[in-house]
């Protein structure tokens, strides 16, 4: 059973940093992606990491966000720096899709999300 749990969200000021975590109870992560969804908008790709640690990012976050993984702890992190108000969204981690996929429809398992709110 895959159970993903995101944590680390919060309310911050523009320019601040946050680190989100995604835990997967009892199973080793394969390929994983982060998505986000703002009210009234479609779910948007943020970044992905393969089981071998290869990452790719959406242009909107490239250079500001970093995905890393601790395979020993079964945790994947999303380090978010220089946050902007437009980064405000519910952030999800997801697994079960092809390596690096940017389509939410290709992922099988999702967490409940963690809210990130950035004020100007």
């Amino acid at each position: 059973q895959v159970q993903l749990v995101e944590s680390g969200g919060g309310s911050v000021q523009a320019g601040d940093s946050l680190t989100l975590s995604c835990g997967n109870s009892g199973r080793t992560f394969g390929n994983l992606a982060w998505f986000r969804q703002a009210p009234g908008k479609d779910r948007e790709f943020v970044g992905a990491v393969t089981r071998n640690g290869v990452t790719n990012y959406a242009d909107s976050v490239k250079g500001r966000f970093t995905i890393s993984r601790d395979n020993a702890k079964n945790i994947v992190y999303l380090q978010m720096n220089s946050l902007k108000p437009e980064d405000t969204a519910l952030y999800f981690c997801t697994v079960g899709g092809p390596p690096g996929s940017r389509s939410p429809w290709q992922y099988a398992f999702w967490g409940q999300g963690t809210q990130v709110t950035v004020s100007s």
Side-chain angles (χ1 to χ4, degrees):
Q1 182 72 16
V2 176
Q3 289 186 312
L4 303 176
V5 179
E6 304 94 338
S7 62
S11 297
V12 297
Q13 298 288 319
D16 286 350
S17 299
L18 274 177
T19 300
L20 306 185
S21 301
C22 177
N24 181 10
S25 59
R27 295 190 61 161
T28 302
F29 282 117
N31 308 306
L32 178 142
W34 287 94
F35 284 77
R36 64 187 182 187
Q37 189 164 20
K41 294 190 175 181
D42 292 336
R43 197 158 293 191
E44 175 189 24
F45 174 80
V46 175
V49 59
T50 70
R51 64 178 68 243
N52 296 321
V54 177
T55 55
N56 76 95
Y57 301 95
D59 287 345
S60 58
V61 307
K62 197 174 295 182
R64 299 188 298 124
F65 290 12
T66 302
I67 297 174
S68 61
R69 56 193 303 159
D70 185 335
N71 290 332
K73 295 181 179 179
N74 282 342
I75 298 176
V76 175
Y77 301 99
L78 177 65
Q79 172 70 41
M80 306 185 294
N81 297 327
S82 303
L83 283 162
K84 305 175 181 180
E86 50 264 44
D87 294 320
T88 295
L90 189 61
Y91 282 71
F92 300 89
C93 61
T94 179
V95 298
S101 172
R102 299 187 175 210
S103 171
W105 310 111
Q106 294 188 306
Y107 289 91
F109 304 99
W110 294 80
Q112 294 300 306
T114 185
Q115 178 68 38
V116 173
T117 303
V118 185
S119 55
S120 57

